């Protein structure tokens, strides 16, 4: 999920001085048939299939090398080169543009800066509550209940559902809080990252009051405004679409099945067996060790009292600060209107800043830490987030490249306008998943596809004589398919910011998190497609589709999964 959404932004790319514009266009025509490049300064007008190269290259290199930073940088570089028409000189100028255009613009975006600031502040707070003994105090309290690996995973899922209002806050708080507990009980970091990731966006996108809802309802309202004669309440369309949000719902069913049965599949099973039988909770990766070393600096010294209140109070302050911030920045008479119009970025910053200040104040007032020690721990916690921030910035840069090349528009163009309306939810679900996977942005995917797919759905229904109230479930299913497909693709993508934050908060190697989570995401996504979006498009009620899909997911874990 990338909260900072910029749809169809295209920074101009000019050819190097002295190189004729026609040269690169001729070269592109010869080498890349079917791909059109504009002649006005080299800006891409229709990159076609070439628009898929940057994300495919970045994802492929990340999975092969198991190093996400060079893979993302290569993807941005190739995308910037493609924007010049693959001109010979463009190979060099695009390298410069990678830094001075795409990365610089990603850092200059106010929404991106807000996410970075929130991440840094939460990291600082975690550093302080680790150093003052508060985190270990929580661990001692929870371990009284969570005295087995299964109970620890249940507690993780419970915390994930409790912090439902924002996926960023959910990811960072739950991952950092539960990691010492799951480590002690020999639950793999891969398993923790999966539980954190799968209880963040899936619940945030369908809960009634979250930082996502206002954005989603606004997109639905704008999309329906372009349809003559269609007068529906946007929030009611959102509410009706929840029943058809098969992927988020089935992803949650899958999480409860994995935790309840204690069984795992594929690479996750190997990771769990390594943790349980060898005691190695973290994957053998340099990236994971480097991240862990930053937090080694903030472990409490001998003799420091382990008081849970020193961690609980800052975390609660952050949570209530975020909620209060949404009520302060929002407007309206109902809670729905207030949350829907709130500024989530300011709220997150306010809450995390308040949490950091309370953590420092508690440490100093109780004389657990001196002022110098408290701020030293805060800076160490901030430093532990640097790796995640670098990946986030590169992921945002890659998303900007795909905007320039028109990746999403190209994927949408593959649908056509002559298919049966009943097939639209399933196709939209796949297109949204591919778009989110390629761009690493669920919010960007929704921002691009909802304004296109809602009118397309209604037009296809009208063409088939189905533009009546009895066929509105097709419209609801289409809206849900965009949102559900966006979350599905986001879960599978190594360049997704929430996937990155889940890895960092859990101190798990990022590529290992993606590799172990992918089978679960594919299981829930496949069930959502075959037993949800597809039959729902042809009129099968959601109350039949959802139980069938849930039964398939549960059966797969029960009968195909194995105990570690």
């Amino acid at each position: 999920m990338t909260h900072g959404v910029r749809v169809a932004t295209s920074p101009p790319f000019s050819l190097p001085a002295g190189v004729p514009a026609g040269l690169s266009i001729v070269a592109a025509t010869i080498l890349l048939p079917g791909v059109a490049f504009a002649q006005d300064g080299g800006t891409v007008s229709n990159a076609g299939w070439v628009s898929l190269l940057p994300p495919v290259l970045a994802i492929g290199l990340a999975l092969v090398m198991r190093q996400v930073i060079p893979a993302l940088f290569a993807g941005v570089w190739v995308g910037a080169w493609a924007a010049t028409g693959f001109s010979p000189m463009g190979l060099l100028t695009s390298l410069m543009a990678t830094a001075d255009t795409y990365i610089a613009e990603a850092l200059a975006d106010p929404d991106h800066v807000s996410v970075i600031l929130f991440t840094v502040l939460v990291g600082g707070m975690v550093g302080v509550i680790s150093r003052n003994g508060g985190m270990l105090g929580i661990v001692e309290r929870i371990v009284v209940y969570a005295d087995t690996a299964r109970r620890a995973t249940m507690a993780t899922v419970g915390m994930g559902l409790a912090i439902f209002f924002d996926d960023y806050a959910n990811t960072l708080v739950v991952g950092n809080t539960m990691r010492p507990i799951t480590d002690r009980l020999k639950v793999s970091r891969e398993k923790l990252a999966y539980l954190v990731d799968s209880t963040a966006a899936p619940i945030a996108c369908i809960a009634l009051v979250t930082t996502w809802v206002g954005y989603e309802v606004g997109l639905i309202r704008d999309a329906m405004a372009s349809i003559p004669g269609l007068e529906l309440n946007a929030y009611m369309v959102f509410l009706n679409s929840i029943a058809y949000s098969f992927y988020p719902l089935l992803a949650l069913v899958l999480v409860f099945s994995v935790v309840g049965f204690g069984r795992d599949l594929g690479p996750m099973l190997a990771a769990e067996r390594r943790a349980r039988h060898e005691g190695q909770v973290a994957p053998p990766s340099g990236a994971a060790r480097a991240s862990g070393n930053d937090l080694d600096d903030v472990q409490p010294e001998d003799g420091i009292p382990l008081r849970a209140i020193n961690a609980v109070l800052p975390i609660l302050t952050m949570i209530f600060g975020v909620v209060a911030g949404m009520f302060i920045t929002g407007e309206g008479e109902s809670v729905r209107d207030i949350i829907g119009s709130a500024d989530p970025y300011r709220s997150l910053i306010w809450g995390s800043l308040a949490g950091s200040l309370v953590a420092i104040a508690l440490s100093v007032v109780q004389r657990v830490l001196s002022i110098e020690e408290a701020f030293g721990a805060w800076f160490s916690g901030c430093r532990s987030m640097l790796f995640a921030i670098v990946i986030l910035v590169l992921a945002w840069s890659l998303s900007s490249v795909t905007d320039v090349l028109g990746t999403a528009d190209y994927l949408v163009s593959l649908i056509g306008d002559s298919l049966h309306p009943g097939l639209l939810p399933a196709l939209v679900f796949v297109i949204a998943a591919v778009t989110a996977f390629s761009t690493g942005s669920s919010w960007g995917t929704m921002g691009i596809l909802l304004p296109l797919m809602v009118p397309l759905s209604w037009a296809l229904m009208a063409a088939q004589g189905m533009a009546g109230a009895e066929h509105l479930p097709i419209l609801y299913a289409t809206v849900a398919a965009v949102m559900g497909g966006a979350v599905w693709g986001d879960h599978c993508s190594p360049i997704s910011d929430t996937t990155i934050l889940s890895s960092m908060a859990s101190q798990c190697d990022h590529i290992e998190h993606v590799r172990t989570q992918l089978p679960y995401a594919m299981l829930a996504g496949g069930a959502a497609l075959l037993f949800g979006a597809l039959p729902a498009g042809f009129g099968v009620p959601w109350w039949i589709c959802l139980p069938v899909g849930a039964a398939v997911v549960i059966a797969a874990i029960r009968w195909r999964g194995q105990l570690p």
Side-chain angles (χ1 to χ4, degrees):
M1 182 194 76
T2 299
H3 283 194
V5 179
R6 293 185 301 159
V7 179
T9 57
S10 300
F13 280 83
S14 300
L15 294 173
V19 177
L23 178 60
S24 63
I25 298 170
V26 171
T29 304
I30 296 173
L31 297 175
L32 304 170
V35 179
F37 295 90
Q39 300 184 25
D40 51 348
T43 302
V44 176
S45 62
N46 177 22
W49 62 267
V50 172
S51 65
L52 299 177
L53 285 179
V56 169
L57 176 65
I59 292 167
L61 288 177
L63 295 176
V64 171
M65 298 189 305
R66 298 192 177 185
Q67 293 291 327
V68 69
I69 290 180
L72 283 170
F73 188 87
V76 178
W77 184 5
V78 169
W81 187 25
T84 69
F86 291 109
S87 65
M89 287 297 296
L91 180 62
L92 178 60
T93 58
S94 60
L95 175 61
M96 302 299 106
T98 298
D100 66 26
T101 301
Y102 289 108
I103 294 178
E105 287 192 352
L107 286 170
D109 186 283
D111 291 343
H112 293 171
V113 172
S114 298
V115 172
I116 291 173
L117 184 56
F118 169 67
T119 303
V120 168
L121 288 170
V122 171
M125 182 188 73
V126 170
V128 176
I129 64 178
S130 296
R131 182 69 184 276
N132 68 14
M135 191 71 78
L136 287 182
I138 289 181
V139 171
E140 290 191 341
R141 295 293 183 89
I142 295 180
V143 164
V144 174
Y145 162 76
D147 54 354
T148 65
R150 179 176 296 183
R151 287 187 174 184
T153 56
M154 288 180 178
T156 302
V157 172
M159 285 190 65
L161 296 179
I163 308 176
F164 64 88
F165 55 86
D166 183 77
D167 54 336
Y168 285 157
N170 179 308
T171 298
L172 293 173
V173 171
V174 177
N176 282 294
T177 302
M178 293 304 299
R179 187 178 63 252
I181 300 169
T182 54
D183 282 358
R184 178 178 297 187
L185 295 170
K186 297 182 180 180
V187 176
S188 67
R189 296 278 179 85
E190 294 95 325
K191 184 69 163 289
L192 176 61
Y194 161 67
L195 297 178
V196 167
D197 205 356
S198 293
T199 53
I203 190 67
C205 79
I206 59 175
L208 301 183
V209 180
T210 72
T211 54
W212 288 51
V213 172
Y215 178 68
E216 292 170 329
V217 172
L219 290 174
I220 295 170
R221 181 187 300 113
D222 293 343
M224 292 193 304
S226 63
I227 303 175
L230 181 61
E231 297 182 0
L232 294 173
N233 181 279
Y235 191 75
M236 293 307 299
V237 171
F238 166 74
L239 291 180
N240 282 294
S241 72
I242 293 176
Y244 296 91
S245 297
F246 298 112
Y247 179 75
L249 294 171
L250 292 182
L252 293 173
V253 170
L254 180 57
V255 166
F256 281 105
S257 300
V258 168
V259 170
F261 291 126
R263 295 172 178 268
D264 287 290
L265 299 167
M268 186 71 77
L269 178 62
E272 282 291 275
R273 286 177 172 171
R274 182 201 68 224
R276 302 290 174 83
H277 302 300
E278 301 176 17
Q280 186 178 353
V281 294
S285 165
R289 289 195 297 272
S291 300
N293 290 338
D294 288 328
L295 290 179
D296 289 342
D297 298 336
V298 293
Q299 295 305 304
E301 296 181 357
D302 295 337
I304 288 182
L306 306 182
R307 298 168 181 160
I309 190 65
N310 288 340
V312 171
L313 192 56
I315 292 174
L316 289 179
T317 299
M318 187 193 75
I319 293 173
F320 285 112
V322 172
V323 174
M326 289 194 288
F327 276 88
I328 293 172
T329 60
E331 297 178 353
E333 297 181 356
S334 66
V335 174
R336 180 195 70 192
D337 294 335
I338 293 172
I339 299 298
S341 61
D343 186 338
Y345 305 106
R346 294 172 67 190
S347 303
L348 290 170
I349 291 173
W350 292 351
S352 56
L353 176 60
S356 290
L357 293 177
V358 168
I360 293 172
L362 283 173
S363 303
V364 174
V365 169
Q366 297 177 46
R367 297 186 178 179
V368 175
L369 301 174
S370 66
I371 293 179
E372 293 81 6
E373 289 172 334
F375 275 97
W378 189 85
F379 280 116
S380 293
C382 294
R383 189 172 63 245
S384 71
M385 294 291 114
L386 180 59
F387 187 70
I389 290 171
V390 172
I391 299 176
L392 280 174
V393 171
L394 288 173
W396 288 327
S397 303
L398 183 61
S399 180
S400 182
V401 167
T402 59
D403 282 343
V404 171
L405 297 177
T407 303
D409 292 338
Y410 174 68
L411 292 172
V412 171
S413 71
L414 299 179
I415 291 182
D417 57 2
S418 59
L419 68 148
H420 189 279
L423 292 172
L424 189 61
L427 287 178
V428 168
F429 183 70
V430 173
I431 292 294
V434 173
T435 303
F437 183 85
S438 302
T439 63
S441 171
S442 53
W443 276 41
T445 298
M446 290 187 289
I448 293 167
L449 295 187
L450 275 174
L452 296 172
M453 293 306 172
V454 172
L456 175 60
S457 173
W458 192 256
L460 291 176
M461 292 166 63
Q464 299 287 333
M466 302 169 65
E470 67 276 13
H471 296 294
L472 282 178
I474 295 179
L475 180 65
Y476 301 148
T478 301
V479 170
V482 173
M483 297 187 293
V487 175
W488 182 27
D490 202 51
H491 268 175
C492 297
S493 177
I495 60 176
S496 158
D497 53 0
T498 46
T499 305
I500 293 164
L501 289 177
S502 297
S503 302
M504 296 301 105
S506 305
Q507 293 298 310
C508 175
D509 178 78
H510 180 57
I511 300 303
E512 288 303 307
H513 168 43
V514 174
R515 192 173 69 90
T516 52
Q517 179 170 263
L518 190 58
Y520 295 101
M522 295 303 294
L523 173 59
L529 175 63
L530 297 177
F531 303 102
L534 190 58
F538 287 95
V540 179
W542 66 266
W543 46 266
I544 293 178
C545 298
L546 192 57
V548 171
V552 170
V553 167
I554 294 170
I557 295 298
R558 176 63 183 84
W559 302 111
R560 300 296 296 175
Q562 298 180 44
L563 295 172

